[in-house]
């Protein structure tokens, strides 16, 4: 059993740092995906508003 604790004490810091890195990168990628999604929705709304204003201009010009 002493051998297990020796290996554990050697590997635990590396595993801990690896997990912290994994959580940090996961958070960054999820945040980026959310930001891209929000930006796409905003651009779609902007495009719809632009199209609606163009239609109004075309109707007024007719």
């Amino acid at each position: 059993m002493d051998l297990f604790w020796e290996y554990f004490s050697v590997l635990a810091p590396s595993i801990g740092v690896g997990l912290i890195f994994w959580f940090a990168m996961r958070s960054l990628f999820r945040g980026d995906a959310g930001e891209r999604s929000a930006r796409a929705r905003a651009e779609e709304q902007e495009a719809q508003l632009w199209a609606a204003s163009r239609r109004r201009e075309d109707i007024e010009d007719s």
Side-chain angles (χ1 to χ4, degrees):
M1 191 66 172
D2 288 337
L3 187 61
F4 169 76
W5 290 112
E6 284 182 42
Y7 283 127
F8 180 77
S9 66
V10 168
L11 294 175
S14 298
I15 292 171
V17 169
L19 286 173
I20 291 170
F21 177 76
W22 181 74
F23 280 120
M25 294 306 292
R26 180 176 171 234
S27 174
L28 287 172
F29 287 132
R30 285 188 173 192
D32 184 52
E35 185 177 338
R36 287 176 188 257
S37 175
R39 185 173 182 144
R41 283 193 305 270
E43 287 179 359
E44 179 64 29
Q45 287 178 340
E46 185 178 318
Q48 288 175 355
L49 288 173
W50 179 82
S53 69
R54 293 290 295 177
R55 275 189 238 113
R56 273 182 268 152
E57 287 177 8
D58 288 346
I59 290 172
E60 289 173 358
D61 289 344
S62 296

